[in-house]
Amino acid sequence: MASLIYNRALENWARGSIDFDTDAFKVMLTTSTYTENKDTHDYRDDITNEVTGTGYTAGGNTATVTVTLDTVNDRVDISLGGTTWPSSTITARKAVYYKSRGGAASADELIAVNDFGSDVVSSAGTFTLNASTLRIQN
Amino acid sequence: MIEKTTVSIDLADIPLALLIDRQQTLGSKIDKLRAERAHIKSHIEKRLSAGESEHASTDADQGDALAPGAFIEAAAT
């Protein structure tokens, strides 16, 4: 499977329930067993097979999101920030970004999933996730 | 334990020919060391320019992992 933006994320953005400038976002890791579905997965409770391991807390880490308007190239870039899990022992295949409301998983809107292409494994080391970019090209 | 012994020799007591010989021997050693240093230096520069790091990996480094970011485009056209 490939990295993707969940369809509902675009709808929520259009309807105003997601504000990339002011909302809080988090990123969680999953194993390769999670199969993303851009049509039917809309909230965090749809995410299965979140990783478990030393140095990783369920729900993942806070992610910094920034929005950049590019009028020269007619596009908006949304940067989904990277993060690290120090002193961790983790095997992960995907990173799922979501809006964190601080409560139930069923209330957290999904944004996008980043498929690494293969398992990434840390062993009593630092697991570093690089930032991703969502581009809305006009 | 390694014992260090220092022997002082009064150079005035050493024949001039011996001093000259000693000086030339030291000079030769210095030249050889300089040549060896230049040789090693050229190897270092070659390996650094090939991208090798002078910092050896540690056990912690070996356990590290890097997950790539993604670039996802949604077209509005």
Side-chain angles (χ1 to χ4, degrees):
Chain A
M1 299 297 282
S3 301
L4 56 82
I5 304 172
Y6 295 100
N7 283 336
R8 191 58 74 88
L10 294 174
E11 183 198 15
N12 286 329
W13 187 33
R15 291 185 186 279
S17 54
I18 290 178
D19 186 331
F20 286 112
D21 258 343
T22 58
D23 290 342
F25 296 91
K26 294 187 82 170
V27 59
M28 61 193 286
L29 300 174
T30 75
T31 69
S32 59
T33 309
Y34 166 61
T35 302
E36 59 275 16
N37 186 316
K38 71 194 300 185
D39 296 321
T40 62
H41 290 185
D42 46 11
Y43 291 94
R44 183 160 63 94
D45 58 354
D46 293 319
I47 307 301
T48 60
N49 302 100
E50 182 174 11
V51 303
T52 56
T54 303
Y56 182 85
T57 303
N61 283 359
T62 297
T64 301
V65 174
T66 56
V67 179
T68 306
L69 171 64
D70 182 348
T71 56
V72 174
N73 297 296
D74 302 322
R75 63 197 182 202
V76 173
D77 281 348
I78 300 162
S79 172
L80 306 175
T83 185
T84 59
W85 285 270
S87 305
S88 64
T89 299
I90 302 169
T91 297
R93 170 64 185 262
K94 302 171 186 183
V96 176
Y97 285 87
Y98 64 93
K99 173 176 172 175
S100 175
R101 292 180 178 273
S106 58
D108 291 341
E109 296 93 336
L110 298 179
I111 306 298
V113 58
N114 168 14
D115 186 336
F116 309 145
S118 60
D119 279 348
V120 177
V121 182
S122 67
S123 177
T126 298
F127 187 109
T128 301
L129 171 66
N130 278 350
S132 291
T133 300
L134 307 184
R135 173 166 292 169
I136 312 298
Q137 181 69 54
N138 192 14
Chain B
M1 288 288 287
I2 298 171
E3 267 189 42
K4 240 181 169 179
T5 307
T6 304
V7 180
S8 297
I9 302 171
D10 191 346
L11 294 179
D13 295 337
I14 299 175
L16 182 60
L18 201 59
L19 283 178
I20 292 170
D21 182 58
R22 179 67 182 153
Q23 184 209 31
Q24 287 174 343
T25 302
L26 286 173
S28 174
K29 279 183 181 173
I30 289 168
D31 289 345
K32 277 183 186 173
L33 286 171
R34 280 191 177 138
E36 188 182 345
R37 183 171 181 248
H39 182 64
I40 290 172
K41 192 182 174 196
S42 72
H43 271 267
I44 290 170
E45 285 169 353
K46 203 180 291 179
R47 288 170 64 168
L48 285 175
S49 64
E52 191 174 337
S53 170
E54 64 185 290
H55 300 294
S57 293
T58 63
D59 288 342
D61 290 336
Q62 287 170 10
D64 291 350
L66 178 63
F71 178 82
I72 311 168
E73 191 168 38
T77 52

